[in-house]
Amino acid sequence: MAAPASAAAGHGGGMSSDNAKGLVLAVSSSAFIGASFIVKKMGLRRAADSGVRAGYGGFSYLVEPLWWIGMISMIVGEIANFAAYAFAPAILVTPLGALSIIISAALAHAILQEKLHTFGILGCVLCVVGSITIVLHAPQERDIDSVKEVWDLATEPAFLCYAAIVVAAALVLIYFVVPHHGQTNIMVYIGVCSLLGSLTVMSVRALGIALKLTFSGTNQLFYPQTWAFALIVATCVSTQINYLNKALDTFNTAVVSPIYYVMFTSLTIIASVIMFKDWDHQNPTQIVTEMCGFMTILSGTFLLHKTKDMTDSPGQCLSTRRPKHASQNAFAIEVMPLKCQDSIDDETLMLSLPKVENGYLKEEHLLRYKDSSMV
């Protein structure tokens, strides 16, 4: 298998040349993908000024050069990530995908002026730590010799059940949840992308195996299974792009990136475990460690979701005076918040209100209970 061979090659004197190539490709992939989120959102903002926003079903971004630059950047990043797996084991490549979160958040802060709360930063750290914990304790990849072998694995009852649940959940989100909650709940758009993304990765891996075997002399392009996987990839990727655009156009990029990474990585690992039966060769300690990593991810996701609209500005909730509001009688009423220990009895309140019918609607009769202790 490739992973043990690579480890053996690097055991004698540091990192092997193949692992070094894989490392460079993986880091480059994260840089391109992280930057693509920012460039695409800049394009979406420009497109929104001249047409219907993507979040409301518009497609004016398709004629915006910046969006295409971001899209090309993402494609280059995905190609680099795909190539990295040809040189280095997944245990080295996959955790480096977390770098795209840091790059995206930093660029969003510097370019888009999208601020991330301190607890949001902590949530990012928890997400990255949890994801790395899962990946570092994940089992070695299975050695596949034919695309037909992958098809046999994909058509076993366990994975067919998983695929059916994923497709059903995605359809429910698209047709029933998105119209009502897509603009207010960040998990809806990202949920569609992540669910279909797990199927995309399984199909992409099958295509990668087919291409590798074809280039090595065993043509896999004559098998209908190869083209079936290609159709699945095209369908899932096009849907992912559509809903990822909606998420980027609607919500803070610094929050979209880590949540998408967490959900996508988690569901992909689950799909891989079911399809390739990775846990059959692991001991309970490894499995428990992976589950702890998953709980860490959930904690980070919760922090990110709860703090996405918060800021670090001090004294934000310490305001003691609200602006004056005009009543229907053009009578200025200044609303003064009460302290917790202050109270007003019904008699005082009734006497304090201006009474039009008694003819003494004058400014000096405003809320008699205003005093310095209530400011």
Side-chain angles (χ1 to χ4, degrees), residues 223-288:
Y223 293 111
Q225 291 89 341
T226 301
W227 299 104
F229 283 123
L231 179 61
I232 294 172
V233 169
T235 303
C236 292
V237 167
S238 59
T239 307
Q240 285 178 257
I241 291 173
N242 182 30
Y243 284 95
L244 182 58
N245 284 334
K246 292 177 184 291
L248 289 173
D249 188 51
T250 307
F251 302 102
N252 192 316
T253 306
V255 179
V256 171
S257 300
I259 293 180
Y260 176 58
Y261 169 79
V262 167
M263 293 184 65
F264 172 77
T265 302
S266 301
L267 290 171
T268 298
I269 290 175
I270 292 173
S272 182
V273 165
I274 295 174
M275 183 169 174
F276 295 101
K277 301 177 178 60
D278 295 323
W279 278 353
D280 289 353
H281 304 287
Q282 286 196 295
N283 58 51
T285 301
Q286 292 174 307
I287 296 175
V288 169

Side-chain angles (χ1 to χ4, degrees), residues 90-92 95 129-139 282 286 290:
I91 200 170
L92 172 64
V129 170
S131 299
I132 292 176
T133 301
I134 289 179
V135 174
L136 290 181
H137 292 84
Q282 286 196 295
Q286 292 174 307
E290 292 170 16

Side-chain angles (χ1 to χ4, degrees), residues 80-121:
N81 188 59
F82 182 81
Y85 284 101
F87 294 98
I91 200 170
L92 172 64
V93 177
T94 307
L96 295 178
L99 293 177
S100 64
I101 298 176
I102 310 302
I103 294 171
S104 180
L107 291 177
H109 178 84
I111 298 176
L112 301 180
Q113 305 300 318
E114 294 182 353
K115 307 302 180 183
L116 193 61
H117 191 268
T118 303
F119 287 118
I121 297 174

Side-chain angles (χ1 to χ4, degrees), residues 305-323:
H305 183 63
K306 297 302 289 185
T307 62
K308 67 180 186 296
D309 296 322
M310 295 175 60
T311 62
D312 284 320
S313 57
Q316 187 176 13
C317 58
L318 299 180
S319 175
T320 59
R321 186 181 295 271
R322 296 181 184 181

Side-chain angles (χ1 to χ4, degrees), residues 320-334:
T320 59
R321 186 181 295 271
R322 296 181 184 181
K324 295 183 178 181
H325 304 279
S327 68
Q328 294 180 352
N329 301 308
F331 187 75
I333 301 177
E334 188 175 10

